[in-house]
């Protein structure tokens, strides 16, 4: 009998998108800071487990002179007996739309891991997920004043996940879902900002197995 296991989209890019280069940052920006998030694992539409995790994320937007930009990212977190690792790279093209307003279509690839424990067949067993996720979406940003900037992003991902559940054979599953992110920057120096980020991620398979996550980050952005 085939095991019913959780399929998870581990492309947690919603906490790893940096503010696109603008009139404040001519070549790019690196954002880093502590994060907090709640991860909910779902099977057949029912909640298996909720985990509160804390960690650190670092991300950057690196802008070339021709408008092409690269977006590397790293996120690590742990808590409630689980741990999460996410790393990725996005490639986009910065398009000036209006004074202080920018649009950046992008594609990305992400590798993620999630190690936790879930109830299965009357016992609690370890669950290890390893996932590759290509994504497609866009960033938008707007400089409200010379000191205040706001940015947001949407990415839709297609995740292929391999799951090891305790001593049972590994299983492969597919899931899809969207990532939403909103970030506000206050530039108290021309090259340095304090920022706050809120993000939401949801991904489900056809069988309603999946993952949802809500989180936030308070960090600093450095222009270069």
């Amino acid at each position: 009998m085939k095991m019913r296991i959780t399929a998870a989209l581990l492309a947690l890019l919603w906490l790893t998108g940096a503010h696109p280069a603008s009139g404040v940052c001519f070549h790019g920006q690196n954002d880093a800071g502590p994060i907090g998030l709640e991860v909910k694992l779902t099977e057949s539409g029912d909640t298996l487990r909720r985990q509160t995790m804390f960690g650190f994320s670092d991300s950057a937007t690196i802008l070339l002179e021709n408008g092409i930009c690269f977006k590397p990212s790293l996120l690590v977190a742990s808590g409630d007996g689980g741990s999460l690792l996410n790393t990725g790279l996005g490639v986009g093209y910065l398009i000036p739309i209006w004074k202080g307003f920018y649009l950046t279509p992008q594609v990305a690839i992400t590798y993620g891991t999630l190690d936790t424990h879930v109830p299965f067949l009357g016992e609690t067993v370890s669950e290890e997920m390893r996932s590759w996720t290509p994504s497609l979406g866009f960033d938008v940003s707007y400089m409200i004043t010379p000191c205040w900037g706001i940015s947001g992003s949407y990415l839709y991902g297609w995740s292929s996940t391999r799951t090891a559940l305790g001593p049972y054979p590994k299983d492969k599953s597919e899931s899809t879902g969207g990532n939403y992110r909103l970030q506000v920057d206050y530039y108290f120096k021309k090259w340095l900002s304090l920022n706050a980020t809120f993000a939401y991620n949801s991904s489900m398979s056809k069988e309603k197995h999946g993952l949802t996550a809500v989180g936030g980050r308070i960090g600093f952005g450095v222009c270069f």
Side-chain angles (χ1 to χ4, degrees):
M1 180 178 65
K2 184 179 176 62
M3 291 187 302
R4 296 190 310 157
I5 60 176
T6 303
L9 173 65
L10 298 177
L12 299 177
L13 294 174
W14 43 263
L15 275 181
T16 57
H19 189 289
S22 64
V24 174
C25 299
F26 294 100
H27 301 292
Q29 177 169 323
N30 186 80
D31 292 327
I35 60 170
L37 60 151
E38 182 180 82
V39 178
K40 182 175 73 171
L41 298 174
T42 303
E43 182 179 285
S44 301
D46 297 325
T47 300
L48 279 181
R49 182 176 174 84
R50 292 180 182 270
Q51 291 183 253
T52 300
M53 295 186 173
F54 297 95
F56 177 82
S57 73
D58 191 357
S59 55
T61 294
I62 304 169
L63 178 65
L64 306 183
E65 292 184 0
N66 57 9
I68 295 175
C69 57
F70 295 93
K71 293 174 171 290
S73 62
L74 173 69
L75 182 152
V76 292
S78 63
D80 285 347
S83 63
L84 182 149
L85 167 68
N86 178 254
T87 184
L89 178 64
V91 180
Y93 185 77
L94 184 70
I95 304 172
I97 301 298
W98 190 64
K99 296 179 180 179
F101 182 76
Y102 297 83
L103 173 67
T104 310
Q106 64 171 298
V107 295
I109 184 72
T110 304
Y111 175 71
T113 70
L114 178 63
D115 296 334
T116 186
H117 293 80
V118 295
F120 184 73
L121 298 179
E123 59 180 330
T124 299
V125 299
S126 63
E127 185 175 38
E128 300 177 355
M129 287 174 277
R130 305 291 182 262
S131 180
W132 285 98
T133 307
S135 303
L136 179 67
F138 60 89
D139 286 354
V140 293
S141 67
Y142 178 63
M143 290 304 301
I144 304 171
T145 71
C147 293
W148 287 96
I150 187 170
S151 63
S153 67
Y154 173 76
L155 286 167
Y156 191 87
W158 297 264
S159 181
S160 177
T161 305
R162 288 190 177 275
T163 304
L165 193 65
Y168 303 100
K170 292 183 179 180
D171 187 83
K172 183 178 180 180
S173 55
E174 308 291 332
S175 59
T176 62
N179 299 268
Y180 305 85
R181 181 189 61 85
L182 179 66
Q183 179 170 314
V184 177
D185 284 79
Y186 175 70
Y187 292 88
F188 54 91
K189 298 287 185 180
K190 289 185 177 180
W191 55 274
L192 184 64
S193 76
L194 176 67
N195 52 55
T197 306
F198 172 80
Y200 173 79
N201 173 88
S202 178
S203 179
M204 293 290 167
S205 67
K206 293 180 180 180
E207 297 78 18
K208 300 299 182 181
H209 306 332
L211 174 151
T212 59
V214 178
R217 176 180 71 183
I218 299 295
F220 288 94
V222 179
C223 295
F224 52 87

